Amino acid sequence: MALERSAERTAKAAARGGGRPQVRLRALDGLRLLAALMVAAYHYGGRDGEITRAWGSSPRAQFPTLSSYFAYGCLGVQIFFVISGFVICMSGWGRPLRSFFASRVSRLYPAYWVAIILVTGVFALPWVAYKAVSPSDALVNLTMLQQPLGVDRVLGVCWTLWAELRFYALFALFVVLPGATRHRVVLFCAVWTLGSAFAEASGLPLLNVVLMPEYSSYFIGGMGIYLLHRFGHDALAWGIIGISFLIGQHYAIRELWHPANIDAFSYRSATGIIAVVAFGYVAVTLIALGKLNWADWRWLTVAGALTYPFYLVHEHLGWVVVWVLHQKLGIPSYGTFALTVLVMLGLAWLLYRFIEQRFTPMIKRSLSTARL
């Protein structure tokens, strides 16, 4: 009965557009940066591939102890998706569709366009050993639709942006357009969860592309966590979070776990994968419930602002920086690793200061006032 009364109160609050007042969650900004640094650790020291050419040998030889831990850094993407579910639900609440569209485009594209130009230009330099994509493919990359069009990617990380775009489209169509309420978000989470299971069972490519069952549970979990943040403890919200975690850890293990193999670069234990995914869910939940409000340092806001441009440029430009610092200047592996991260953070600050702060408001205003 108590749960029923609680659900009734939250439903009435949602109908009134109520809920807790929105405050800046600086701890969430810090978690964003932590997830980005996890991905960077994976790209610099937790995998083979092009980074091997930058180091001159396998990262396993450069970081014989830490490389096995760096291999878990790829799960920073799953944490990003949980954060995204939370943030998009928060930012889309009470907004008309045009405003939501303008905020997403102005947030995603300015730094992305500059990152595409930077990486294409650097890779075109004669002394850089990495192959640039064709001019035509680079132009298509500016749309952020290169992956579904089968075009070579300029940025290796942009596959996650394709997942984000599909989430934004679904959320805009089924939540923002009719108007966000607690009931509508709960229904959206339930239908998307079931639809993702149907897509997996059917094996139909179109359903998999639209509903993306391998990633949907993380976005859904983030939305469930936002319901806790906005309306307080609620059995339905906890159910959404719990089910999405159970499904999410399954997909994380399916994609990233393999048996111990001497020929494989990394070995990630199933327990380790579950622990990292659980950390992401728990961390966002603690932030949503106000348990980390003590982490209210102003520098975390800047850290959160640097996360997206850092994420865009760190991988491919990081290869070049590692090659220069380690092979050309002879700086030891750990020093090169730390300096590369600092250089990429510095570049991210430049993108934030001179691109995002200047052009994001301009694009947002233009799209918000454009005549349909």
Side-chain angles (χ1 to χ4, degrees):
M1 290 297 293
L3 285 175
E4 291 176 2
R5 288 193 295 271
S6 175
E8 185 178 355
R9 286 195 299 270
T10 55
K12 290 179 179 178
R16 297 192 304 267
R20 297 176 181 176
Q22 300 305 305
V23 295
R24 181 76 191 189
L25 301 174
R26 289 198 170 100
L28 195 65
D29 293 322
L31 184 62
R32 276 197 189 105
L33 183 61
L34 176 61
L37 293 174
M38 288 172 60
V39 175
Y42 169 68
H43 284 147
Y44 296 160
R47 58 173 293 177
D48 272 329
E50 299 289 358
I51 190 64
T52 299
R53 295 165 60 187
W55 287 114
S57 64
S58 170
R60 181 165 45 186
Q62 303 292 331
F63 308 101
T65 301
L66 290 182
S67 63
S68 60
Y69 296 99
F70 289 161
Y72 289 92
C74 58
L75 288 160
V77 170
Q78 279 73 13
I79 298 175
F80 270 134
F81 287 162
V82 176
I83 295 172
S84 182
F86 181 94
V87 170
I88 295 306
C89 199
M90 177 169 60
S91 64
W93 205 282
R95 266 188 172 168
L97 184 60
R98 177 187 290 194
S99 175
F100 179 76
F101 171 77
S103 70
R104 291 302 90 205
V105 171
S106 61
R107 178 70 181 96
L108 286 182
Y109 277 96
Y112 173 80
W113 284 330
V114 175
I116 292 290
I117 294 168
L118 279 175
V119 173
T120 301
V122 169
F123 277 22
L125 296 173
W127 53 270
V128 175
Y130 300 101
K131 181 181 177 182
V133 304
S134 70
S136 174
D137 286 355
L139 291 173
V140 174
N141 271 256
L142 295 173
T143 68
M144 211 178 282
L145 296 175
Q146 59 274 20
Q147 189 165 340
L149 295 177
V151 171
D152 285 341
R153 293 177 289 167
V154 173
L155 306 177
V157 298
C158 68
W159 68 269
T160 64
L161 302 181
W162 170 230
E164 293 276 356
L165 285 178
R166 287 176 283 171
F167 167 48
Y168 298 165
L170 291 171
F171 188 81
L173 182 61
F174 295 106
V175 178
V176 176
L177 183 60
T181 65
R182 173 185 169 276
H183 172 76
R184 191 162 285 127
V185 171
V186 168
L187 183 62
F188 175 61
C189 291
V191 172
W192 195 8
T193 298
L194 286 174
S196 296
F198 293 153
E200 183 71 40
S202 70
L204 294 175
L206 179 60
L207 283 180
N208 276 280
V209 169
V210 174
L211 299 177
M212 45 181 177
E214 68 272 39
Y215 310 125
S216 61
S217 57
Y218 308 115
F219 297 120
I220 293 167
M223 288 187 285
I225 294 170
Y226 178 70
L227 293 178
L228 286 184
H229 173 71
R230 189 176 183 92
F231 298 107
H233 293 286
D234 178 1
L236 281 176
W238 281 113
I240 290 169
I241 297 165
I243 291 172
S244 69
F245 167 72
L246 295 175
I247 297 173
Q249 61 82 30
H250 158 73
Y251 278 107
I253 290 176
R254 192 184 77 173
E255 298 297 323
L256 299 172
W257 176 83
H258 59 75
N261 184 345
I262 195 172
D263 296 322
F265 172 81
S266 63
Y267 169 63
R268 305 180 188 93
S269 72
T271 302
I273 292 171
I274 294 171
V276 176
V277 174
F279 165 77
Y281 277 84
V282 170
V284 179
T285 301
L286 290 176
I287 293 168
L289 294 177
K291 303 301 183 182
L292 298 181
N293 284 350
W294 52 266
D296 194 33
W297 310 302
R298 289 185 179 273
W299 65 267
L300 287 176
T301 301
V302 178
L306 298 185
T307 298
Y308 179 58
F310 174 82
Y311 182 72
L312 292 175
V313 301
H314 82 273
E315 183 182 14
H316 287 10
L317 295 184
W319 298 345
V320 179
V321 174
V322 167
W323 176 72
V324 170
L325 294 178
H326 188 63
Q327 295 201 58
K328 294 300 179 182
L329 300 181
I331 297 176
S333 303
Y334 289 94
T336 293
F337 183 98
L339 286 173
T340 301
V341 170
L342 290 176
V343 169
M344 291 298 103
L345 285 172
L347 178 57
W349 183 86
L350 292 174
L351 291 175
Y352 166 67
R353 176 65 180 83
F354 296 104
I355 302 300
E356 291 193 316
Q357 284 195 324
R358 181 171 301 179
F359 292 103
T360 294
M362 184 188 308
I363 295 172
K364 188 175 182 179
R365 283 194 303 269
S366 299
L367 292 175
S368 298
T369 58
R371 298 177 64 182
L372 295 178

